[in-house]
Amino acid sequence: MKKNANLFIILVFIIALVLPNALMLLDEKLLKADLNINLNQPLISIGKLKNFYLENYGTKSELVNSYIKFKTNITKEDPIPYRVINGKNGWLFLGNYYNNVFNNSFGNNKLTTKNFNAIKNNLIACNTYLKTKNIDFYTLVAPDKNKIYQEFLPFQLKSNPSNIDLLNKLMPENFKIIDLKKSLLQHKKNNQLYLKTDTHWNSYGAFYGYKEILKKIDKNNSYNSFDLLDFDRESNSNFQGDLSKMIKSPIKETDTKLKFKNNLNIEVIAYSSYYQHYKNSKGNGKIMIYRDSFSNALIPFFNATFNEVILIKKHNLDKNLITSFKPDIVLFEIIERNLSLFEKIKTP
């Protein structure tokens, strides 16, 4: 009896070793893989085979998904507690250490009804106040990189409605939050939109985001709009993003900035990390933007479009500043992982 039990354990062990490899050999990915095996460079070739195996061995996705679901649903533990996740092809991503950003990527970290109602009521209160001043109010939630480049995440889960999707369903029909996800997914086939080693989008991502924002807020075609042909490219091949710095990695990448071909003569009225004020004699209208760091790459595009731009790093309306500046538009911008901060807005 004991002998049979041992033989059974050995058999199961052999199947566990052989099955993933057999499934990988039958996978179409192996036939399509461009491994470029070079016998004159054995170490490089072995490294390519090793990386391919680690990413594609049979049942990998099923095993990883089962592990994540077990940790999340059974043990109630965070399956991805890391600050930084190593993705595929050199992509780095924030882990759940930062506001459960990995879980948010797949809509698996729902805010509570109380959270949603607080955000909704705060945004409606801001909108109501600004309407009394004849000012248009918009809210922009910029997508995390994990949302736009999911294919480079090391793990995949079934996607559920995101917090933005659910919040938009609660908002009045005439006040929808600007969600750039669909637009960015459409444009990423043309250019890389986010930095591989950083948490932020690059100039291309910000440009396509700007175009979508302008489409939403420029109802009467009142503002200047620009196309990619209006820009030169300026590349920095030694860019090191915040994610690579976070893990003290020497990884660098090329960051391409879009620079206007024509000098726009933007006047800097005030500049600090908290408050910035710009003026452009060729622009139209005034906009006030309450924001976070994700909007940094948007600033040149807004400066080119509007006559005056004020940017403030917080999300509480400054009544005195609004009265003195008299903006045509107030825009709240926030990165998706920090959406819950809208619960803490001090309403007028």
Side-chain angles (χ1 to χ4, degrees):
M1 189 72 175
K2 185 178 180 180
K3 183 178 179 181
N4 290 337
N6 289 339
L7 286 173
F8 177 75
I9 293 171
I10 292 170
L11 181 62
V12 170
F13 181 73
I14 292 172
I15 291 173
L17 288 176
V18 173
L19 184 60
N21 298 288
L23 290 172
M24 187 183 75
L25 291 172
L26 297 172
D27 196 325
E28 288 184 3
K29 289 180 183 177
L30 183 61
L31 298 175
K32 295 178 181 178
D34 184 16
L35 296 175
N36 291 323
I37 303 301
N38 188 340
L39 296 178
N40 295 321
Q41 296 179 309
L43 292 179
I44 294 175
S45 297
I46 291 170
K48 286 181 178 178
L49 285 170
K50 177 185 175 183
N51 289 337
F52 179 83
Y53 179 80
L54 290 174
E55 289 185 8
N56 296 285
Y57 66 82
T59 70
K60 176 185 177 180
S61 60
E62 289 81 3
L63 290 170
V64 170
N65 285 348
S66 297
Y67 163 77
I68 291 174
K69 288 175 182 176
F70 176 79
K71 294 284 281 186
T72 302
N73 300 323
I74 306 302
T75 64
K76 306 297 182 184
E77 295 178 283
D78 185 356
I80 315 291
Y82 316 118
R83 291 173 183 263
V84 178
I85 297 173
N86 281 301
K88 301 173 184 177
N89 297 347
W91 284 81
L92 299 176
F93 298 91
L94 279 175
N96 277 339
Y97 183 86
Y98 294 94
N99 294 340
N100 285 302
V101 66
F102 177 82
N103 288 345
N104 287 336
S105 308
F106 299 96
N108 292 323
N109 185 50
K110 300 285 189 301
L111 294 175
T112 66
T113 301
K114 182 180 178 181
N115 299 143
F116 280 127
N117 285 332
I119 294 171
K120 171 190 169 183
N121 293 337
N122 286 343
L123 294 178
I124 289 176
C126 291
N127 187 45
T128 301
Y129 167 75
L130 290 168
K131 275 190 173 181
T132 65
K133 303 285 186 180
N134 201 28
I135 298 170
D136 291 330
F137 177 55
Y138 296 91
T139 301
L140 163 70
V141 178
D144 285 295
K145 180 168 72 173
N146 305 39
K147 270 271 189 77
I148 304 302
Y149 286 97
Q150 279 191 8
E151 67 271 26
F152 295 115
L153 287 167
F155 319 113
Q156 296 295 320
L157 291 174
K158 178 184 175 183
S159 290
N160 296 303
S162 68
N163 284 321
I164 302 305
D165 297 329
L166 297 171
L167 181 59
N168 255 334
K169 287 182 179 179
L170 290 175
M171 300 302 294
E173 193 59 38
N174 62 347
F175 182 27
K176 295 297 184 185
I177 293 168
I178 301 173
D179 184 0
L180 302 178
K181 180 184 173 184
K182 184 177 178 181
S183 175
L184 293 179
L185 287 173
Q186 288 174 345
H187 287 292
K188 76 174 190 176
K189 61 180 180 292
N190 301 320
N191 300 100
Q192 181 179 315
L193 306 183
Y194 285 65
L195 294 155
K196 283 188 173 184
T197 65
D198 201 273
T199 55
H200 300 84
W201 52 12
N202 58 19
S203 272
Y204 283 108
F207 170 77
Y208 289 119
Y210 149 80
K211 293 288 283 187
E212 186 67 19
I213 296 164
L214 206 58
K215 190 190 301 182
K216 301 290 186 185
I217 67 179
D218 191 8
K219 297 172 183 176
N220 301 313
N221 295 318
S222 306
Y223 306 114
N224 299 328
S225 181
F226 297 88
D227 296 310
L228 285 177
L229 293 175
D230 296 313
F231 301 91
D232 287 324
R233 278 70 172 164
E234 184 180 284
S235 295
N236 171 18
S237 58
N238 289 310
F239 178 82
Q240 186 178 25
D242 53 11
L243 290 172
S244 56
K245 290 176 182 176
M246 215 177 286
I247 57 174
K248 303 190 183 304
S249 166
I251 300 172
K252 295 180 180 179
E253 63 176 309
T254 298
D255 178 26
T256 301
K257 300 285 188 188
L258 297 175
K259 299 289 185 180
F260 281 96
K261 291 179 179 179
N262 299 321
N263 187 0
L264 298 175
N265 294 317
I266 305 298
E267 182 184 357
V268 181
I269 308 297
Y271 184 90
S272 71
S273 59
Y274 168 75
Y275 177 86
Q276 296 174 39
H277 184 181
Y278 301 93
K279 194 166 186 177
N280 171 15
S281 60
K282 296 179 181 178
N284 299 315
K286 297 179 178 181
I287 188 170
M288 183 180 290
I289 305 173
Y290 291 83
R291 68 181 192 108
D292 57 19
S293 65
F294 207 80
S295 67
N296 287 345
L298 285 171
I299 294 174
F301 306 118
F302 281 117
N303 283 345
T305 294
F306 292 92
N307 173 244
E308 284 191 75
V309 179
I310 283 182
L311 301 113
I312 304 166
K313 265 199 173 180
K314 68 170 185 177
H315 292 95
N316 294 322
L317 294 178
D318 187 324
K319 292 184 181 181
N320 293 330
L321 187 57
I322 287 170
T323 300
S324 61
F325 183 59
K326 296 181 174 64
D328 301 294
I329 295 170
V330 168
L331 174 69
F332 273 13
E333 175 276 326
I334 201 165
I335 185 66
E336 188 170 353
R337 61 180 172 269
N338 292 332
L339 178 64
S340 60
L341 292 179
F342 279 165
E343 293 180 63
K344 302 173 183 177
I345 297 172
K346 292 180 182 178
T347 55

